[in-house]
Amino acid sequence: MQLAQKPAGSRLVLLVVGLFIVLAPVMCVGGHVFATSAPPLARAVELIEQDQGVAAALGSPVKVSLVVTNRLRRNPIRALTGDDDVYVVSTVKGSQEQANFRLSAKNVNGQGWAGTFAVEFQGRPVLRNGSYIQEGAGPLIEGDFAPDGTPRVKKR
């Protein structure tokens, strides 16, 4: 009596599925780490988390959320060819309030970074004369980037 052998095709399918299960999380984590390592993003996050004005408005400590974002985009293929860009829409949270964080920066042909960033407080809804207004809404900090990716504050 001869034992039935599995066809080579089913082994290949199992191997591919196994590799996918192992590599998919690694690629996602690696892609996220790469995206958040862009010089303008890393330096802007550091500036925002240490800014006294942002801390006064939102409560201390201040943390920029890069794990859970509305949008985080950076293309590794374009970055390797010298046309790097990063785009982020996320949240800045303090102990009492939160604000929106937006960053867009580009480095074309390795010439240097250009773009903008802003932290905008949405305010608090306050009932006045039969309708709600957003009290205290406005930018907490805004700026652009030096060619090396260092953020330059334009407005506080």
Side-chain angles (χ1 to χ4, degrees):
M1 178 179 237
Q2 201 173 34
L3 295 175
Q5 292 184 346
K6 291 185 178 179
S10 67
R11 287 186 187 140
L12 181 60
V13 168
L14 286 174
L15 178 65
V16 169
V17 169
L19 281 173
F20 178 77
I21 290 171
V22 170
L23 291 178
V26 170
M27 290 172 57
C28 288
V29 170
H32 182 78
V33 169
F34 173 76
T36 58
S37 71
L41 179 55
R43 293 173 181 165
V45 166
E46 183 180 346
L47 172 79
I48 291 163
E49 290 181 346
Q50 295 176 1
D51 188 82
Q52 296 301 315
V54 174
L58 303 180
S60 204
V62 172
K63 184 72 178 150
V64 176
S65 176
L66 293 178
V67 175
V68 179
T69 64
N70 293 343
R71 184 161 300 185
L72 173 59
R73 186 185 71 219
R74 186 180 184 202
N75 186 323
I77 303 299
R78 290 190 56 170
L80 291 172
T81 61
D83 288 332
D84 202 356
D85 63 341
V86 61
Y87 179 73
V88 178
V89 176
S90 190
T91 305
V92 179
K93 294 182 180 181
S95 61
Q96 299 168 357
E97 299 286 344
Q98 68 181 26
N100 295 327
F101 172 55
R102 177 187 44 78
L103 179 143
S104 178
K106 185 178 282 198
N107 184 350
V108 178
N109 293 326
Q111 298 178 70
W113 289 97
T116 60
F117 71 94
V119 175
E120 298 168 342
F121 184 60
Q122 297 305 305
R124 295 173 199 84
V126 177
L127 183 61
R128 291 231 173 97
N129 299 326
S131 64
Y132 284 97
I133 62 166
Q134 294 300 111
E135 186 175 82
L140 298 177
I141 188 170
E142 294 178 321
D144 63 5
F145 298 100
D148 68 350
T150 302
R152 300 181 292 204
V153 176
K154 299 292 182 183
K155 182 177 183 183
R156 281 198 163 108

